[in-house]
Amino acid sequence: MGSSSSSAADPEYQEGKITDMNKKQLKPGDLIKIFRSGYQHWAVYIGGGYVVHFVLNAESSSSSTVPVPGGMGVVLKEKLEEVVGNNRWKINNYLDGKNKPQKVYAIVKQAVGFIGNRLHYNLATYNCEHFATELRYGKSVSQQNKQQPKPGDLIEIFRSGYQHWAVYIGRGHVVHLVVTGMGSSGCSVPVPGEMGVVLEQKLEEVVGNDRWRINNYLDKKRKPQQGYAIVKQAIGFIGARLPYNVATSNCEHFATDLRYEKPTSRQVIRVGAGVGGTLTGLVVVFGAVVGTVFGVIRR
Protein backbone atom coordinates (compact mmCIF):
# COMPACT_ATOMS: atom_id res chain seq x y z
CA MET A 1 0.00 0.00 0.00
CA GLY A 2 1.03 3.62 -0.02
CA SER A 3 3.41 4.92 2.59
CA SER A 4 3.75 8.09 4.65
CA SER A 5 6.41 9.68 6.77
CA SER A 6 4.47 8.33 9.73
CA SER A 7 3.52 4.69 10.06
CA ALA A 8 0.24 3.41 8.65
CA ALA A 9 -0.87 2.86 12.24
CA ASP A 10 -0.14 6.48 13.22
CA PRO A 11 -3.51 7.99 14.18
CA GLU A 12 -2.38 11.40 12.93
CA TYR A 13 -1.79 10.26 9.32
CA GLN A 14 -1.31 13.93 8.54
CA GLU A 15 -2.28 15.68 5.30
CA GLY A 16 0.67 16.71 3.15
CA LYS A 17 2.78 13.75 4.25
CA ILE A 18 0.79 10.96 2.64
CA THR A 19 2.19 9.40 -0.53
CA ASP A 20 0.80 6.62 -2.69
CA MET A 21 2.49 3.49 -4.06
CA ASN A 22 4.27 5.69 -6.64
CA LYS A 23 5.50 8.14 -4.00
CA LYS A 24 3.12 10.78 -5.29
CA GLN A 25 1.84 13.20 -2.67
CA LEU A 26 -1.88 13.21 -1.97
CA LYS A 27 -3.89 16.46 -2.20
CA PRO A 28 -7.54 17.24 -1.36
CA GLY A 29 -9.81 16.53 -4.33
CA ASP A 30 -7.65 13.66 -5.62
CA LEU A 31 -9.25 10.39 -6.65
CA ILE A 32 -7.84 7.33 -4.92
CA LYS A 33 -7.81 3.92 -6.60
CA ILE A 34 -7.49 1.00 -4.15
CA PHE A 35 -6.56 -2.43 -5.46
CA ARG A 36 -8.79 -5.00 -3.80
CA SER A 37 -8.68 -8.69 -4.69
CA GLY A 38 -10.28 -8.91 -8.14
CA TYR A 39 -11.60 -5.35 -8.37
CA GLN A 40 -10.79 -1.72 -7.54
CA HIS A 41 -12.40 0.55 -5.00
CA TRP A 42 -12.48 4.34 -5.40
CA ALA A 43 -12.57 7.21 -2.93
CA VAL A 44 -12.14 11.00 -2.88
CA TYR A 45 -9.54 12.55 -0.60
CA ILE A 46 -10.90 15.53 1.38
CA GLY A 47 -7.83 16.31 3.50
CA GLY A 48 -6.71 15.63 7.06
CA GLY A 49 -6.15 11.95 6.27
CA TYR A 50 -9.83 11.39 5.43
CA VAL A 51 -11.67 10.16 2.34
CA VAL A 52 -15.30 10.12 1.28
CA HIS A 53 -16.47 7.01 -0.56
CA PHE A 54 -19.56 5.10 -1.62
CA VAL A 55 -20.05 1.63 -0.12
CA LEU A 56 -22.72 -1.04 -0.01
CA ASN A 57 -22.45 -1.90 3.65
CA ALA A 58 -22.42 0.96 6.15
CA GLU A 59 -20.58 -1.23 8.63
CA SER A 60 -17.65 -1.95 6.35
CA SER A 61 -15.13 0.05 4.34
CA SER A 62 -14.53 -2.89 1.99
CA SER A 63 -16.82 -1.04 -0.43
CA SER A 64 -18.04 -1.94 -3.84
CA THR A 65 -17.64 -5.69 -4.01
CA VAL A 66 -20.60 -8.08 -4.04
CA PRO A 67 -23.15 -5.60 -5.40
CA VAL A 68 -26.81 -6.46 -5.13
CA PRO A 69 -28.96 -5.46 -8.14
CA GLY A 70 -31.14 -2.59 -6.96
CA GLY A 71 -29.33 -2.49 -3.60
CA MET A 72 -28.73 0.65 -1.57
CA GLY A 73 -25.34 2.09 -0.76
CA VAL A 74 -24.23 4.75 1.71
CA VAL A 75 -21.61 7.51 1.53
CA LEU A 76 -19.06 7.37 4.34
CA LYS A 77 -16.26 9.55 5.65
CA GLU A 78 -13.39 7.42 6.95
CA LYS A 79 -9.67 7.58 7.49
CA LEU A 80 -7.70 6.67 4.39
CA GLU A 81 -5.62 4.13 6.26
CA GLU A 82 -8.76 2.29 7.41
CA VAL A 83 -10.25 2.18 3.93
CA VAL A 84 -6.99 1.07 2.32
CA GLY A 85 -6.20 -1.62 4.88
CA ASN A 86 -3.42 -3.85 3.57
CA ASN A 87 -4.10 -3.09 -0.10
CA ARG A 88 -2.03 -1.10 -2.56
CA TRP A 89 -3.39 2.28 -3.65
CA LYS A 90 -2.56 5.17 -5.89
CA ILE A 91 -3.71 8.66 -6.85
CA ASN A 92 -5.54 8.31 -10.17
CA ASN A 93 -7.09 11.43 -11.63
CA TYR A 94 -7.19 9.60 -14.94
CA LEU A 95 -9.73 11.84 -16.66
CA ASP A 96 -7.89 15.13 -16.09
CA GLY A 97 -6.66 15.10 -19.71
CA LYS A 98 -10.20 14.71 -21.08
CA ASN A 99 -12.38 16.49 -18.55
CA LYS A 100 -11.64 19.63 -16.58
CA PRO A 101 -11.78 18.85 -12.86
CA GLN A 102 -13.85 21.05 -10.59
CA LYS A 103 -12.17 23.39 -8.13
CA VAL A 104 -10.80 21.60 -5.08
CA TYR A 105 -13.08 23.44 -2.66
CA ALA A 106 -16.11 22.44 -4.78
CA ILE A 107 -15.07 18.76 -4.84
CA VAL A 108 -14.54 18.67 -1.08
CA LYS A 109 -17.71 20.62 -0.32
CA GLN A 110 -19.85 18.30 -2.45
CA ALA A 111 -18.18 15.20 -1.00
CA VAL A 112 -18.81 16.34 2.57
CA GLY A 113 -22.40 17.17 1.67
CA PHE A 114 -22.97 13.56 0.60
CA ILE A 115 -21.77 12.00 3.87
CA GLY A 116 -24.48 9.79 5.34
CA ASN A 117 -26.63 9.84 2.21
CA ARG A 118 -28.11 6.60 0.95
CA LEU A 119 -27.98 6.14 -2.83
CA HIS A 120 -29.06 3.41 -5.23
CA TYR A 121 -26.08 1.18 -6.00
CA ASN A 122 -25.60 -0.59 -9.32
CA LEU A 123 -22.34 -2.17 -10.44
CA ALA A 124 -22.93 -1.29 -14.08
CA THR A 125 -24.43 2.18 -13.81
CA TYR A 126 -23.53 3.70 -10.44
CA ASN A 127 -20.72 2.18 -8.38
CA CYS A 128 -17.99 3.65 -6.18
CA GLU A 129 -16.01 4.85 -9.23
CA HIS A 130 -19.06 6.55 -10.75
CA PHE A 131 -19.53 8.39 -7.45
CA ALA A 132 -15.90 9.50 -7.19
CA THR A 133 -15.54 10.66 -10.79
CA GLU A 134 -18.81 12.56 -10.61
CA LEU A 135 -17.49 14.53 -7.63
CA ARG A 136 -14.23 15.45 -9.40
CA TYR A 137 -15.49 16.01 -12.94
CA GLY A 138 -19.23 16.55 -12.64
CA LYS A 139 -19.64 13.45 -14.81
CA SER A 140 -19.88 9.82 -13.65
CA VAL A 141 -17.55 7.34 -15.36
CA SER A 142 -16.38 3.81 -14.56
CA GLN A 143 -13.53 1.99 -16.30
CA GLN A 144 -14.56 -1.20 -14.50
CA ASN A 145 -17.51 -1.59 -16.83
CA LYS A 146 -16.32 -0.58 -20.31
CA GLN A 147 -18.35 -3.18 -22.12
CA GLN A 148 -21.19 -1.86 -24.25
CA PRO A 149 -22.97 -4.79 -25.88
CA LYS A 150 -24.84 -4.41 -29.15
CA PRO A 151 -28.12 -6.14 -29.98
CA GLY A 152 -27.32 -9.69 -31.09
CA ASP A 153 -24.12 -10.01 -29.02
CA LEU A 154 -23.52 -13.15 -26.97
CA ILE A 155 -22.94 -12.55 -23.26
CA GLU A 156 -20.76 -14.99 -21.31
CA ILE A 157 -21.30 -14.88 -17.53
CA PHE A 158 -18.78 -16.50 -15.20
CA ARG A 159 -20.66 -18.44 -12.54
CA SER A 160 -18.87 -20.53 -9.95
CA GLY A 161 -17.49 -23.52 -11.89
CA TYR A 162 -19.26 -22.90 -15.20
CA GLN A 163 -20.39 -20.20 -17.65
CA HIS A 164 -23.91 -19.06 -18.36
CA TRP A 165 -24.81 -17.58 -21.76
CA ALA A 166 -27.38 -15.05 -22.91
CA VAL A 167 -28.19 -12.99 -26.00
CA TYR A 168 -28.32 -9.21 -25.71
CA ILE A 169 -31.43 -7.71 -27.32
CA GLY A 170 -30.93 -4.04 -26.45
CA ARG A 171 -31.96 -1.50 -23.77
CA GLY A 172 -30.17 -3.43 -21.08
CA HIS A 173 -32.08 -6.67 -21.62
CA VAL A 174 -31.05 -10.22 -22.52
CA VAL A 175 -32.84 -13.39 -23.55
CA HIS A 176 -31.53 -16.68 -22.14
CA LEU A 177 -32.42 -20.31 -21.51
CA VAL A 178 -32.61 -21.41 -17.88
CA VAL A 179 -33.59 -24.58 -16.10
CA THR A 180 -37.18 -24.28 -14.93
CA GLY A 181 -37.36 -22.95 -11.39
CA MET A 182 -33.77 -21.66 -11.32
CA GLY A 183 -34.61 -18.06 -12.22
CA SER A 184 -31.68 -16.14 -13.67
CA SER A 185 -29.06 -18.52 -12.27
CA GLY A 186 -28.88 -20.20 -15.65
CA CYS A 187 -27.60 -23.58 -16.66
CA SER A 188 -26.11 -25.03 -13.48
CA VAL A 189 -26.58 -28.63 -12.36
CA PRO A 190 -29.42 -29.56 -14.71
CA VAL A 191 -31.24 -32.85 -14.26
CA PRO A 192 -31.35 -35.10 -17.38
CA GLY A 193 -34.68 -34.72 -19.13
CA GLU A 194 -35.53 -31.52 -17.26
CA MET A 195 -37.32 -28.68 -19.03
CA GLY A 196 -35.94 -25.22 -19.56
CA VAL A 197 -37.67 -21.92 -20.15
CA VAL A 198 -36.58 -18.90 -22.20
CA LEU A 199 -36.64 -15.65 -20.21
CA GLU A 200 -36.19 -11.97 -20.95
CA GLN A 201 -34.48 -10.15 -18.09
CA LYS A 202 -32.30 -7.17 -17.37
CA LEU A 203 -28.62 -7.91 -17.95
CA GLU A 204 -27.70 -6.61 -14.49
CA GLU A 205 -30.19 -9.00 -12.85
CA VAL A 206 -28.88 -12.01 -14.75
CA VAL A 207 -25.24 -11.12 -14.10
CA GLY A 208 -25.75 -10.45 -10.40
CA ASN A 209 -22.37 -10.47 -8.65
CA ASP A 210 -20.51 -12.34 -11.40
CA ARG A 211 -18.05 -11.19 -14.05
CA TRP A 212 -19.27 -11.10 -17.64
CA ARG A 213 -18.04 -10.27 -21.10
CA ILE A 214 -19.19 -9.97 -24.70
CA ASN A 215 -18.03 -13.15 -26.43
CA ASN A 216 -18.99 -13.69 -30.06
CA TYR A 217 -16.27 -16.32 -30.24
CA LEU A 218 -17.43 -18.01 -33.44
CA ASP A 219 -17.58 -14.87 -35.61
CA LYS A 220 -14.32 -15.78 -37.38
CA LYS A 221 -15.54 -19.27 -38.25
CA ARG A 222 -19.20 -18.64 -38.95
CA LYS A 223 -21.05 -15.69 -40.35
CA PRO A 224 -23.43 -14.34 -37.71
CA GLN A 225 -26.97 -13.39 -38.60
CA GLN A 226 -27.91 -9.72 -38.77
CA GLY A 227 -28.51 -8.14 -35.38
CA TYR A 228 -32.19 -7.47 -36.05
CA ALA A 229 -32.72 -11.10 -37.10
CA ILE A 230 -31.06 -12.40 -33.93
CA VAL A 231 -33.14 -10.11 -31.74
CA LYS A 232 -36.38 -10.97 -33.56
CA GLN A 233 -35.80 -14.69 -33.12
CA ALA A 234 -34.73 -14.28 -29.49
CA ILE A 235 -37.89 -12.34 -28.67
CA GLY A 236 -39.95 -15.00 -30.42
CA PHE A 237 -38.61 -17.60 -27.98
CA ILE A 238 -39.54 -15.68 -24.80
CA GLY A 239 -41.72 -17.88 -22.60
CA ALA A 240 -41.05 -21.02 -24.64
CA ARG A 241 -40.38 -24.25 -22.75
CA LEU A 242 -37.62 -26.38 -24.27
CA PRO A 243 -36.07 -29.74 -23.36
CA TYR A 244 -32.89 -29.00 -21.40
CA ASN A 245 -29.78 -31.17 -21.49
CA VAL A 246 -26.34 -30.04 -20.39
CA ALA A 247 -24.65 -32.05 -23.16
CA THR A 248 -26.93 -31.31 -26.09
CA SER A 249 -29.19 -28.34 -25.41
CA ASN A 250 -27.88 -26.01 -22.73
CA CYS A 251 -27.86 -22.20 -22.45
CA GLU A 252 -24.79 -21.88 -24.71
CA HIS A 253 -26.34 -24.08 -27.41
CA PHE A 254 -29.40 -21.84 -27.30
CA ALA A 255 -27.41 -18.59 -27.56
CA THR A 256 -25.08 -19.76 -30.35
CA ASP A 257 -27.99 -21.17 -32.34
CA LEU A 258 -29.62 -17.74 -32.30
CA ARG A 259 -26.49 -15.95 -33.49
CA TYR A 260 -25.06 -18.52 -35.92
CA GLU A 261 -28.02 -20.82 -36.67
CA LYS A 262 -25.95 -23.71 -35.38
CA PRO A 263 -25.91 -24.75 -31.70
CA THR A 264 -22.47 -25.11 -30.14
CA SER A 265 -21.16 -25.41 -26.60
CA ARG A 266 -17.47 -25.09 -25.81
CA GLN A 267 -18.16 -26.15 -22.23
CA VAL A 268 -19.34 -29.54 -23.48
CA ILE A 269 -16.50 -29.87 -25.97
CA ARG A 270 -13.92 -29.15 -23.24
CA VAL A 271 -15.47 -31.74 -20.94
CA GLY A 272 -15.62 -34.25 -23.78
CA ALA A 273 -11.94 -33.78 -24.56
CA GLY A 274 -11.13 -34.39 -20.93
CA VAL A 275 -12.86 -37.75 -20.93
CA GLY A 276 -11.48 -39.08 -24.18
CA GLY A 277 -13.92 -37.31 -26.45
CA THR A 278 -16.91 -39.46 -25.55
CA LEU A 279 -19.10 -36.53 -24.65
CA THR A 280 -17.99 -34.64 -27.73
CA GLY A 281 -19.23 -37.52 -29.82
CA LEU A 282 -22.58 -37.32 -28.12
CA VAL A 283 -22.84 -33.65 -28.98
CA VAL A 284 -22.14 -34.40 -32.65
CA VAL A 285 -24.79 -37.12 -32.68
CA PHE A 286 -27.44 -35.02 -30.97
CA GLY A 287 -26.57 -31.67 -32.56
CA ALA A 288 -29.08 -32.24 -35.33
CA VAL A 289 -31.77 -32.96 -32.74
CA VAL A 290 -31.13 -29.62 -31.03
CA GLY A 291 -31.27 -27.78 -34.32
CA THR A 292 -34.53 -29.50 -35.18
CA VAL A 293 -36.16 -28.51 -31.88
CA PHE A 294 -35.10 -24.87 -32.28
CA GLY A 295 -36.15 -24.89 -35.93
CA VAL A 296 -39.63 -26.19 -35.17
CA ILE A 297 -40.24 -23.44 -32.64
CA ARG A 298 -38.96 -20.80 -35.12
CA ARG A 299 -41.51 -21.97 -37.67
Side-chain angles (χ1 to χ4, degrees):
M1 63 177 277
S3 61
S4 69
S5 58
S6 57
S7 70
D10 188 339
E12 297 298 323
Y13 213 62
Q14 293 295 325
E15 176 186 348
K17 297 181 180 181
I18 305 171
T19 58
D20 68 3
M21 57 190 278
N22 297 320
K23 307 299 181 184
K24 187 176 178 181
Q25 187 169 302
L26 189 60
K27 302 183 296 296
D30 280 339
L31 300 188
I32 298 170
K33 183 179 183 179
I34 304 164
F35 297 89
R36 307 291 196 204
S37 177
Y39 73 103
Q40 294 84 47
H41 181 55
W42 291 77
V44 177
Y45 186 64
I46 61 171
Y50 284 87
V51 297
V52 170
H53 62 138
F54 183 39
V55 303
L56 271 175
N57 186 345
E59 298 180 354
S60 171
S61 63
S62 64
S63 77
S64 59
T65 187
V66 196
V68 178
M72 296 297 291
V74 64
V75 179
L76 299 180
K77 173 187 174 183
E78 295 186 275
K79 286 190 174 182
L80 173 61
E81 61 183 299
E82 295 173 353
V83 177
V84 169
N86 297 322
N87 301 120
R88 295 179 303 114
W89 65 275
K90 71 176 183 179
I91 300 163
N92 193 4
N93 303 317
Y94 67 95
L95 290 175
D96 279 11
K98 294 182 179 180
N99 298 291
K100 184 178 179 180
Q102 301 190 78
K103 298 292 186 181
V104 171
Y105 73 84
I107 298 171
V108 174
K109 182 180 179 180
Q110 289 182 34
V112 171
F114 271 109
I115 295 170
N117 283 7
R118 293 182 61 80
L119 306 172
H120 285 283
Y121 186 101
N122 185 287
L123 179 63
T125 59
Y126 203 76
N127 60 40
C128 56
E129 186 178 358
H130 288 109
F131 174 76
T133 53
E134 187 171 32
L135 286 175
R136 184 169 178 86
Y137 304 107
K139 179 181 179 181
S140 60
V141 177
S142 176
Q143 289 184 319
Q144 300 186 74
N145 188 46
K146 293 181 180 178
Q147 304 181 96
Q148 297 296 329
K150 301 183 296 295
D153 278 341
L154 301 188
I155 306 296
E156 181 179 19
I157 305 162
F158 296 89
R159 306 297 196 204
S160 177
Y162 73 102
Q163 290 82 47
H164 182 55
W165 291 79
V167 176
Y168 187 72
I169 61 171
R171 297 185 178 182
H173 284 243
V174 296
V175 169
H176 61 139
L177 175 65
V178 303
V179 176
T180 304
M182 292 187 66
S184 64
S185 63
C187 51
S188 177
V189 198
V191 177
E194 194 163 7
M195 294 297 291
V197 63
V198 179
L199 301 179
E200 176 189 356
Q201 292 181 282
K202 287 185 177 181
L203 174 60
E204 64 187 74
E205 293 174 352
V206 177
V207 169
N209 304 325
D210 299 310
R211 293 185 303 111
W212 65 276
R213 66 176 179 176
I214 300 164
N215 192 2
N216 303 317
Y217 66 94
L218 290 174
D219 278 10
K220 292 183 179 179
K221 294 182 178 181
R222 299 172 189 165
K223 184 178 179 180
Q225 299 194 81
Q226 296 295 322
Y228 71 87
I230 299 170
V231 172
K232 182 179 179 180
Q233 290 184 21
I235 291 173
F237 272 111
I238 295 170
R241 292 176 59 82
L242 305 175
Y244 189 100
N245 186 289
V246 69
T248 60
S249 51
N250 63 37
C251 54
E252 187 178 358
H253 288 110
F254 174 76
T256 53
D257 188 57
L258 285 174
R259 185 170 178 85
Y260 306 107
E261 296 188 286
K262 183 176 181 180
T264 301
S265 176
R266 293 192 306 179
Q267 298 180 87
V268 174
I269 292 170
R270 289 193 190 105
V271 172
V275 294
T278 302
L279 196 51
T280 304
L282 288 174
V283 174
V284 172
V285 171
F286 289 105
V289 176
V290 178
T292 300
V293 172
F294 290 159
V296 168
I297 293 180
R298 282 201 188 96
R299 292 194 290 270

